[in-house]
Amino acid sequence: MTTGPTYEPLSVDTLTRRLADVAALAEHVGPDTKTWQVEEIGDGNLNLVFRVTGPNGQAVVKQALPYVRLVGDSWPLPLYRAFFEYHALTRQAARDPGSVPKVYHFDEAQALIVMEFLAPHVILRRKLIAGEYVDTLAECLGTFCARTAFRGSALSMTREDRKADVALFAGNVEIPAITEALVFTDPYYDAELNSHTAGLQPVIATLRGDVALKVKVQQLLQRFVSNTETMVHGDLHSGSIMSTETDSRVIDPEFVQYGPMGFDIGMLCANFLMAYFSQPAHRQDDLTAYQDWVLGVITDLCQTFEAEFRHLWQTERTGILYPAAVFEDQGHDSTLACDAVLADIWRDAWAFCGIEMHRRCLSLAHNADFEDIADTTLRAALEARNLMMGAALIHAADTGLDAQAVCAMAREFNGKDIL
């Protein structure tokens, strides 16, 4: 291939020349580079993303930039995040086949991955803002979260494989550090990169004045940085999922690390709750029905996660934790142990959920569910409901919450005038 050892960002004009010798790309697009059409389609905060089209089909080329694209070169980032994204995608594909794009080629020196172009998939967040329904959404995502959580943990992996994986992903330092700051820390003080909608100051003052809340958030940060239960996606939200009417795939796992089992599903539920709270600004017709559908996704997602996790517990519990020798081989039912593990997962998940609901309104990198609302007075009112429910979740996470209780809480906050 023509890519050299010295990293150089791609462009629409240079991609064809520089990747002409990548056989995997030619196989999926076409052997004659003169027929290739290149389009830059990235709309994220960190990377370059190109769609390459030819007579054989399409492929995606994703390349890391040496800085945060959202901010610019004043915030440098290591290129090695592409290395960890590649290894995360290969593990996710093995642990839940068909859940992520197929990887065709990886170039570590150029920090780029050539992968499957998902079509007619679009970003899930855009479908939620538009009020579109996605069949099997909860089943796809609940299964993905359960399988990657279980199969990436010491419940399933051999001691040797798990220790090697934990050591490998421990090298992903700078990217998870963004999460440690933007998610767990910055929302709770006047950080330099913070921003918020005008009118939210009273709610922000309430959150930052709640010392018990901040203690709980820091306890969750302590778990996030010190717990290596499983390989987590690390940034699982409706912008890192692509869907059709009947299929969903998970993308962009560059925030991968080993962390708490409840992290991914908690972050995901938070983004569905934010979609729920933002709906009054996006539609009038079908509002109640669509909000009910979003909450139904949350309950079905959690139900699917738990059912699949319990199934894997019974069929694939071959790791060092809760061995059959201690339970089934002595004629003992291990259901009580599974119940306890799941209780810990949900305790963490609902607290992480509340923290993500804060982060997306108060620190850097807000989500479009709220940001697309042009009427800032309405936006602030809806964000206030979201922020106060986030606080309620953090405080109540250790009381045995389930998805039904969380959705009932959402309906209650949806009727409140906070400001």
Side-chain angles (χ1 to χ4, degrees), residues 208-241:
R208 292 180 182 168
D210 188 340
V211 176
L213 176 77
K214 293 190 290 187
V215 168
K216 290 186 176 183
V217 171
Q218 289 303 296
Q219 288 173 330
L220 267 293
L221 173 57
Q222 182 177 357
R223 282 186 57 73
F224 180 74
V225 301
S226 62
N227 183 299
T228 59
E229 283 180 331
T230 193
M231 190 192 84
V232 298
H233 178 285
D235 194 30
L236 189 57
H237 54 75
S238 54
S240 56
I241 297 160

Side-chain angles (χ1 to χ4, degrees), residues 158-207:
T158 66
R159 178 181 287 104
E160 294 77 13
D161 286 347
R162 182 180 177 278
K163 287 185 179 295
D165 247 24
V166 172
L168 175 71
F169 287 103
N172 195 13
V173 177
E174 294 296 330
I175 308 304
I178 295 175
T179 302
E180 294 159 16
L182 297 190
V183 176
F184 291 95
T185 308
D186 290 2
Y188 305 100
Y189 80 107
D190 189 20
E192 180 181 358
L193 294 178
N194 283 359
S195 66
H196 63 264
T197 304
L200 283 176
Q201 290 87 342
V203 175
I204 296 171
T206 297
L207 296 179

Side-chain angles (χ1 to χ4, degrees), residues 332-402:
H332 300 151
D333 188 351
S334 65
T335 300
L336 186 63
C338 186
D339 292 344
V341 171
L342 281 165
D344 286 344
I345 290 173
W346 291 123
R347 179 202 65 213
D348 287 351
W350 297 125
F352 289 133
C353 178
I355 294 169
E356 170 74 348
M357 293 166 77
H358 290 168
R359 166 269 171 110
R360 288 291 182 177
C361 293
L362 301 181
S363 64
L364 185 69
H366 296 186
N367 61 4
D369 303 74
F370 292 124
E371 288 295 286
D372 281 3
I373 302 171
D375 182 340
T376 56
T377 300
L378 175 58
R379 186 201 307 165
L382 300 179
E383 287 181 329
R385 294 171 179 173
N386 171 74
L387 289 168
M388 293 311 296
M389 178 171 170
L393 280 176
I394 295 167
H395 280 303
D398 58 359
T399 64
L401 287 176
D402 59 18

Side-chain angles (χ1 to χ4, degrees), residues 88-102 116 118 121 139-148 151 231 233 236 240-243 247-253:
L89 285 168
T90 59
R91 284 155 178 76
Q92 289 167 343
R95 292 167 186 171
D96 186 21
S99 63
V100 299
K102 297 175 183 176
E116 177 185 9
L118 299 175
H121 297 70
E139 291 79 3
C140 288
L141 298 179
T143 300
F144 172 82
C145 289
R147 289 178 178 173
T148 54
R151 290 172 173 164
M231 190 192 84
H233 178 285
L236 189 57
S240 56
I241 297 160
M242 297 188 71
S243 300
D247 181 60
S248 294
R249 307 282 187 91
V250 176
I251 62 173
D252 294 347

